[in-house]
């Protein structure tokens, strides 16, 4: 599994990882130290019932457009995490049928989607 923080991005604010920075994560989502602090404060504060406006409803069009690339980057991060887990499953000799069943798709569908990428990951790890 790739644990290099410089190749990760916070799934909450979009910030790119830097050396010396801590990220926490699971299932492909990553969170930076600043967002952990922010959400800790938010969850610790009393709920404000009078403001049920969603954050994106307060965003300008420019803010919406500038957020789209960050969402795309975090989606790619999750996709790479999935490839790493499929590669892990294959390294344990789990079959494409078993992996497909875990994803609710056919052996053929999972093989077509991941076989080349898993081979690419294996090639990088041995290079």
């Amino acid at each position: 599994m790739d644990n290099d923080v410089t190749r990760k991005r916070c799934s909450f604010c979009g910030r790119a990882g830097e050396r010396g920075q801590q990220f926490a994560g699971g299932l492909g989502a990553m969170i930076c130290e600043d967002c952990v602090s922010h959400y800790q404060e938010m969850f610790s504060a009393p709920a404000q019932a009078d403001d049920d406006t969603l954050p994106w409803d307060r965003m300008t069009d420019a803010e919406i457009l500038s957020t789209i690339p960050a969402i795309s980057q975090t989606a790619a991060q999750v996709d790479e995490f999935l490839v790493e887990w499929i590669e892990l499953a294959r390294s344990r000799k789990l079959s494409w049928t078993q992996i497909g069943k875990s994803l609710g798709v056919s052996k053929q569908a999972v093989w077509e989607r991941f076989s080349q990428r898993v081979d690419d990951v294996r090639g990088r790890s041995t290079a």
Side-chain angles (χ1 to χ4, degrees), residues 59-70:
M59 294 172 78
T60 65
D61 291 349
E63 289 171 324
I64 295 280
L65 291 172
S66 70
T67 301
I68 292 171

Side-chain angles (χ1 to χ4, degrees), residues 25 49 51 56 70 101 107 110 114-115 122:
D51 185 14
W56 44 85
K101 186 175 181 178
K107 168 188 174 178
V110 78
F114 294 104
S115 66
R122 285 185 178 172

Side-chain angles (χ1 to χ4, degrees), residues 1-4 8 80-81 83-88:
M1 299 289 172
D2 181 7
N3 293 321
D4 185 346
K8 303 298 181 203
E80 287 302 315
F81 193 67
V83 169
E84 289 177 355
W85 275 85
I86 303 258
E87 196 277 332
L88 175 64

Side-chain angles (χ1 to χ4, degrees), residues 96-112:
W96 287 112
T97 301
Q98 291 171 294
I99 296 167
K101 186 175 181 178
S102 75
L103 290 171
V105 299
S106 69
K107 168 188 174 178
Q108 184 68 25
V110 78
W111 182 86
E112 287 176 4

Side-chain angles (χ1 to χ4, degrees), residues 37-85:
S37 296
H38 169 75
Y39 288 107
Q40 170 61 31
E41 289 174 21
M42 186 178 84
F43 288 129
S44 297
Q48 296 180 357
D50 59 336
D51 185 14
D52 51 348
T53 305
L54 298 170
W56 44 85
D57 289 338
R58 293 188 296 267
M59 294 172 78
T60 65
D61 291 349
E63 289 171 324
I64 295 280
L65 291 172
S66 70
T67 301
I68 292 171
I71 293 169
S72 178
Q73 290 168 337
T74 58
Q77 180 172 275
V78 170
D79 191 52
E80 287 302 315
F81 193 67
L82 179 57
V83 169
E84 289 177 355
W85 275 85

Side-chain angles (χ1 to χ4, degrees), residues 12-24:
F12 296 83
C13 70
R15 179 179 175 186
E18 300 172 1
R19 294 217 183 282
Q21 180 183 33
Q22 290 185 323
F23 269 27

